[in-house]
Amino acid sequence: MQTTFNEVQKFLLSGTTAEIAQKLLGKRLCFQTKTGVMTAFIVEAEAYIGPKDQAAHAFQGHRTPKNEPLYHEAGTIYIYQMRTQLLLNLITQKENDPQGVLIRAIQPEKGLTQFQKNREVHQLFELTNGPGKLMQAFGIPKILKGSRLNEGPLSLDLQNFKIPAVIKESGRIGVPNKGIWTNEPLRYFVAGNPYVSRMRKRDIDSKNYGWQ
């Protein structure tokens, strides 16, 4: 039985945005394409805490047509473009409370051939170890911005998941000059997973990839 939007929304409202970012680790993203379903486990996520968060798009209540989905209900998909890359965010709080989680890295499961076709790399772990990389590898289009999870081609599976052995945290990546929010430990990742961005080779758990 597939996870419904209402179940996803309840899950995304079950804690603070920082807590949800941690709970998302190990959950499975599914993307339905013309050639079949592609799935991957979330291994890295970054929380953005709304108007008080200097690094957030909604800092000081900033609201424009571009970031409007941030203000929609939990379970809304917020996709934005940074330079040439698209980035995926999941809205985590009630309507008009603009908080969300940036999906930073995933471990491919089903559809690996399509992942590799969408994004050709020499090293497998380079395929989806960054927020722009995973969007390119999945082939998720910007047109999904503002739509809801589990009502279209992109869904969050809460029934088939992995459990991290250890979750680690750090300051966010690529967020300079944002006061205390630059180093606020709101980036969470599966320790030892080779698909996590900037994971050092010596820290990789080659046996279990950081899962229980």
Side-chain angles (χ1 to χ4, degrees):
M1 191 172 182
Q2 294 184 337
T3 304
T4 66
F5 169 75
N6 287 338
E7 289 170 332
V8 167
Q9 186 175 65
K10 183 178 180 180
F11 168 76
L12 294 172
L13 288 169
S14 66
T16 66
T17 297
E19 290 169 343
I20 297 305
Q22 296 172 72
K23 289 182 180 182
L24 280 167
L25 298 178
K27 299 303 186 290
R28 192 165 74 146
L29 278 177
C30 306
F31 183 54
Q32 183 65 51
T33 73
K34 292 180 180 178
T35 58
V37 67
M38 302 168 68
T39 66
F41 296 102
I42 299 171
V43 299
E44 182 181 356
E46 211 166 69
Y48 287 84
I49 318 297
K52 68 179 182 180
D53 184 346
Q54 196 171 343
H57 288 183
F59 180 54
Q60 294 182 335
H62 181 68
R63 188 171 186 171
T64 69
K66 282 189 176 182
N67 75 350
E68 179 61 27
L70 272 174
Y71 290 83
H72 293 186
E73 62 187 325
T76 299
I77 298 166
Y78 174 46
I79 296 173
Y80 67 89
Q81 189 164 348
M82 180 176 286
R83 301 183 184 89
T84 61
Q85 297 183 320
L86 297 177
L87 282 74
L88 173 65
N89 298 258
L90 309 181
I91 303 309
T92 57
Q93 300 299 324
K94 295 180 179 180
E95 191 172 0
N96 292 318
D97 187 357
Q99 301 187 43
V101 173
L102 169 66
I103 307 303
R104 281 201 52 92
I106 56 173
Q107 177 184 322
E109 185 200 24
K110 294 181 181 178
L112 182 59
T113 299
Q114 189 62 46
F115 276 108
Q116 292 173 308
K117 184 177 179 181
N118 291 343
R119 177 175 155 74
E120 296 181 4
V121 294
H122 296 296
Q123 298 292 331
L124 183 61
F125 301 145
E126 293 286 328
L127 187 61
T128 52
N129 64 339
K133 295 177 182 180
L134 72 88
M135 286 290 280
Q136 184 182 1
F138 252 132
I140 297 172
K142 193 174 182 180
I143 195 172
L144 294 185
K145 175 181 179 178
S147 64
R148 305 200 306 184
L149 286 164
N150 298 55
E151 292 188 346
L154 184 63
S155 60
L156 184 66
D157 182 358
L158 301 178
Q159 300 171 10
N160 302 285
F161 56 86
K162 290 181 178 291
I163 301 175
V166 176
I167 292 174
K168 289 193 174 181
E169 63 183 40
S170 78
R172 292 178 290 203
I173 292 176
V175 185
N177 307 316
K178 299 299 181 182
I180 63 170
W181 295 97
T182 290
N183 298 313
E184 195 71 12
L186 292 169
R187 169 182 171 256
Y188 305 96
F189 59 93
V190 178
N193 190 282
Y195 287 93
V196 169
S197 59
R198 302 187 183 181
M199 178 62 68
R200 297 176 297 187
K201 288 184 179 180
R202 69 186 186 205
D203 294 332
I204 291 175
D205 172 10
S206 59
K207 183 179 180 181
N208 296 318
Y209 285 8
W211 304 114
Q212 287 187 9

